[in-house]
Amino acid sequence: MTNVVVGVSASGVGTIELDRPDQRNALNVATCRELVDAVEELRKAEVRAILVTGRGSAFCSGADFGEVYGEGFRDALYAALGAVHTAPVPVVAAVNGPAIGAGTQLAIACDIRVAAPGAVFGLPTARLGLAVDPWTIRRLEQVGGGGTARALLLACEQMGAELAHARGLADRIGERADAEALVADLATMAPLTLAYNKLVLDRVDLPEDDAELAAAFEGCWASEDIAEGRRARLEKRPPSFTGR
């Protein structure tokens, strides 16, 4: 039985859906491993953007407590978060309901979060005696600010969609259809530029001799897509980018 459903549209959009609605899409070892495989499948399909969401009433209720204390869970979880975070294309989380614990971690591993009115974010590790890795804490601070990180991690507060949006933890408020429209739009944009922008945004610091960033930057300016963008402006039509 599969816990993750993967789809690819004709327009180059990949979809990853957690499919454990009876467990409110809680993450166990098998689901985490399937998330890694799902991202790799979409990489090979050369999708332009990815939507991550959950089936049923929850985005992801957190870690499956039947496995969270067991051997191998942490490695599987962080492999899944890393796969989502390092995908070379924009990843949008359609947070359709509660995203608690590992659910918030999965949401912030994505690049953009569209929160439905019923979405809730929380990281109540201090109430459970658990701990999240430094990357999660810094990433939460990066996307939501220091106040948000402290509220969720120290006070163990939960944030609904409106407050999360006001704090920057959620980028937009909307339903899955709104997230799908956003991902479809992202899939029309210049892939090399998006990949470069994502690389820079995800760097903790920016050394002057970062060869990977320099190559990505120059690659944008030397690409066929920059010429296509110029032609499209002159011809007053939407560009058709190829990622080359």
Side-chain angles (χ1 to χ4, degrees):
M1 180 178 179
T2 181
N3 299 316
V4 175
V5 177
V6 181
V8 179
S9 75
S11 59
V13 171
T15 302
I16 297 174
E17 293 181 282
L18 301 180
D19 190 19
R20 302 185 77 207
D22 292 344
Q23 291 77 32
R24 296 176 63 77
N25 297 320
L27 297 180
N28 58 9
V29 171
T31 305
C32 290
R33 289 174 177 167
E34 288 181 39
L35 276 169
V36 174
D37 292 342
V39 174
E40 180 59 25
E41 180 179 338
L42 294 179
R43 277 177 176 260
K44 290 179 179 178
E46 298 183 345
V47 298
R48 297 288 191 89
I50 298 172
L51 177 74
V52 176
T53 192
R55 288 191 171 178
S57 60
F59 175 73
C60 173
S61 61
D64 188 321
F65 279 97
E67 296 191 16
V68 68
Y69 301 102
E71 185 177 352
F73 177 78
R74 280 187 295 162
D75 288 343
L77 172 63
Y78 290 118
L81 298 177
V84 171
H85 176 61
T86 60
V89 299
V91 182
V92 175
V95 186
N96 54 301
I100 307 300
T104 287
Q105 289 180 277
L106 179 58
I108 65 174
C110 300
D111 299 300
I112 299 172
R113 284 149 295 284
V114 178
V120 180
F121 299 87
L123 273 168
T125 51
R127 295 193 185 280
L128 301 168
L130 302 174
V132 292
D133 66 316
W135 174 86
T136 295
I137 295 173
R138 290 292 176 240
R139 178 71 169 178
L140 182 60
E141 182 183 41
Q142 179 190 38
V143 301
T148 296
R150 284 168 174 78
L152 267 62
L153 289 164
L154 300 184
C156 291
E157 293 181 12
Q158 292 190 353
M159 289 190 181
E162 292 286 348
L163 181 55
H165 182 247
R167 293 286 192 91
L169 180 56
D171 299 280
R172 302 183 183 187
I173 295 178
E175 302 290 351
R176 173 168 174 162
D178 300 295
E180 289 174 336
L182 172 59
V183 175
D185 187 35
L186 291 171
T188 69
M189 299 181 189
L192 295 178
T193 303
L194 290 176
Y196 165 73
N197 290 345
K198 182 168 175 173
L199 274 177
V200 177
L201 287 168
D202 288 341
R203 286 289 198 272
V204 175
D205 53 68
L206 295 172
E208 293 184 4
D209 60 346
D210 193 317
E212 183 182 18
L213 291 187
F217 176 72
E218 294 300 336
C220 292
W221 284 96
S223 69
E224 296 176 14
D225 280 347
I226 196 170
E228 166 60 12
R230 183 179 183 184
R231 284 193 301 269
R233 286 197 307 275
L234 293 173
E235 297 168 8
K236 298 181 179 180
R237 59 170 175 81
S240 180
F241 295 120
T242 62
R244 294 192 293 272

